[in-house]
Amino acid sequence: MILPGSTIGVLGSGQLGRMLALAARRSGYNIHVFSPEANSPTGQVANREFVAAYDDLDAVRQFAQSVDVVTYEFENVPLATAEACAAIVPLRPGAQALRVAQNRLREKTFFANNGLPTVPFAEVHSLADLRAGLMEIGCPAVLKTAVSGYDGKGQIKINHPDEAAEAWQSVGEVDCILEGWIEFEREVSMVAARDVNGRIAHYNLIENAHHNHILDVSVAPANVPPQVLAQAEAMVQTVLTALDVVGVLCVEFFLCEDGQLLLNEIAPRPHNSGHLTIEACVTSQFEQQLRTVCGLPVGDTTYLRSAAMANLLGDLWDFQRKGAKGQKEQRKKSARNLRQSAKSADKSPDWTAVLTDPHLKLHLYGKKSARPGRKMGHLTALADSVTEAEKIVRGARGRLVIE
Ligand code: AMP
């Protein structure tokens, strides 16, 4: 067991690392973080920030030598970086979970090989593959790059086979997965943890609403029939066990009209949908990550109350600067112009609109610049029902955009 006073190493330095660091430091652990970014969201609350490229393996080894265990907070950390750490200290979850999660083709093949229901899919390495895949799967379908995609980046919906060439070009002619388009009823996720002794604890199903492919609002516990929850529990157990995970992992599902769950993707780390566990549960997903990577038993995941979480995206900062009309016009500009004009979008919303509400918890990630679509923070509210909690967070976020 790795006990307080020890040092946890984190690969990646975003908000997930930051919230892990806050949980760890509260319990007397030290945090060292490694990423190419200085004064990062995690670095700001860590004991030590290693700033170097992920492929600078000498720097990676120096970092690993300074800690007792290494974990990662995003799945696009190069495998070689994680493996260089694993040669020096325990890496939790291991390289296998990372390997599967960072490539959509490997991920969906892993589901299929383990009897886990998922969306119809085909491998695409050329335009000919894409055309063949569209014949097999039908339209609409969605073409996603096999690696490096997140929050809807690197994916394009195809409504007609004639769009194949354009879609193939737009994703950059790289290895892809083609998926059948699912008319799901709802999207749900299950955050779970597995300890060194193989004990599993989960946070029930969390219901997620997306906007522009980015998570917008989550509520928990999701209102689903007991057989849906049982289905999810069994599938999550299969994933955690097959990947021999020691740590936290989230499974995202599509819930279909007929009650069938399909696995969409996995993330071998705490997840945006689990942020509400900080206030809502006896043990948050970040404490759970800390406990499991330190070799401690999984903590109690009981919900104290129903909860809702609303993401705060960079668009809110931009809104303050430009106003509603300006923002609408700006949205119409090309992506490049949008990025350039957003560089100066650093005026924060007026937080009094949310901080004067006694039910709300405000989390800000310390990011230096706001960009449309960038996750800058979130709001959480607890209530007697998820409906009430959702009303509180949506209402509060709405107040931030009223000039
Ligand atoms: P992903 O990055 O794969 O999680 O995709 C982001 C979001 O796009 C998902 O949360 C869904 O809302 C939507 N999406 C992705 N794949 C599909 C699909 N095969 N069918 C329908 N919606 C999808």
Side-chain angles (χ1 to χ4, degrees), residues 134 137-141 158-161 181:
L134 286 169
I137 289 172
C139 283
I158 302 177
N159 291 305
H160 192 275
W181 187 257

Side-chain angles (χ1 to χ4, degrees), residues 145-282:
T145 56
V147 296
S148 308
Y150 66 96
D151 287 346
K153 292 186 179 74
Q155 51 181 278
I156 179 157
K157 192 174 172 191
I158 302 177
N159 291 305
H160 192 275
D162 289 352
E163 296 163 19
E166 202 182 317
W168 177 238
Q169 249 187 5
S170 82
V171 294
E173 305 187 356
V174 294
D175 288 344
C176 280
I177 187 168
L178 180 72
E179 296 178 9
W181 187 257
I182 305 297
E183 292 297 342
F184 50 77
E185 191 230 322
R186 275 185 276 171
E187 287 187 81
V188 291
S189 55
M190 184 175 271
V191 177
R194 183 168 175 268
D195 65 26
V196 278
N197 294 318
R199 257 201 73 208
I200 292 174
H202 68 76
Y203 290 93
N204 212 308
L205 278 169
I206 302 171
E207 190 172 328
N208 304 315
H210 291 77
H211 183 66
N212 292 335
H213 298 278
I214 304 174
L215 182 64
D216 185 37
V217 171
S218 293
V219 300
N223 182 13
V224 294
Q227 61 272 26
V228 170
L229 181 60
Q231 231 188 99
E233 277 174 339
M235 294 187 208
V236 165
Q237 183 168 2
T238 302
V239 171
L240 289 171
T241 313
L243 294 175
D244 195 19
V245 166
V246 174
V248 168
L249 182 142
C250 176
V251 180
E252 292 180 52
F253 299 97
F254 297 139
L255 175 56
C256 304
E257 289 286 352
D258 61 1
Q260 163 86 49
L261 282 173
L262 299 178
L263 271 80
N264 172 28
E265 62 180 359
I266 56 171
R269 49 162 173 80
H271 190 258
N272 194 166
S273 61
H275 290 356
L276 49 74
T277 62
I278 295 176
E279 288 87 6
C281 297
V282 175

Side-chain angles (χ1 to χ4, degrees), residues 315 318-331 401-403:
D315 308 56
D318 207 37
F319 193 97
Q320 301 297 312
R321 191 171 65 88
K322 290 190 153 282
K325 193 160 163 273
Q327 197 191 44
K328 206 168 162 200
E329 280 164 10
Q330 191 195 19
R331 277 232 170 85
V401 295
I402 294 169
E403 288 162 288

Side-chain angles (χ1 to χ4, degrees), residues 18-19 22 25 40 59 75 86 91 101 105 123 130 184 189 223 226 268 273 277 326 364 398:
R18 179 185 180 94
M19 290 182 267
L22 292 170
R25 297 200 67 176
S40 60
E75 53 273 19
L91 173 76
L105 282 168
E123 288 200 20
L130 175 56
F184 50 77
S189 55
N223 182 13
S273 61
T277 62
L364 292 171

Side-chain angles (χ1 to χ4, degrees), residues 306-386:
S306 300
M309 184 270 339
N311 269 337
L312 301 173
L313 300 184
D315 308 56
L316 282 171
W317 275 244
D318 207 37
F319 193 97
Q320 301 297 312
R321 191 171 65 88
K322 290 190 153 282
K325 193 160 163 273
Q327 197 191 44
K328 206 168 162 200
E329 280 164 10
Q330 191 195 19
R331 277 232 170 85
K332 290 183 191 154
K333 290 186 192 168
S334 72
R336 183 151 27 93
N337 286 346
L338 198 71
R339 277 198 300 278
Q340 276 169 357
S341 60
K343 274 187 187 146
S344 55
D346 55 4
K347 190 177 180 304
S348 294
D350 177 2
W351 298 119
T352 50
V354 297
L355 292 173
T356 46
D357 183 329
H359 302 291
L360 284 161
K361 301 285 182 178
L362 172 66
H363 296 251
L364 292 171
Y365 307 147
K367 294 187 182 176
K368 291 175 289 267
S369 61
R371 282 194 301 274
R374 191 174 198 202
K375 291 173 182 169
M376 303 297 288
H378 70 267
L379 295 172
T380 307
L382 306 185
D384 291 337
S385 70
V386 290

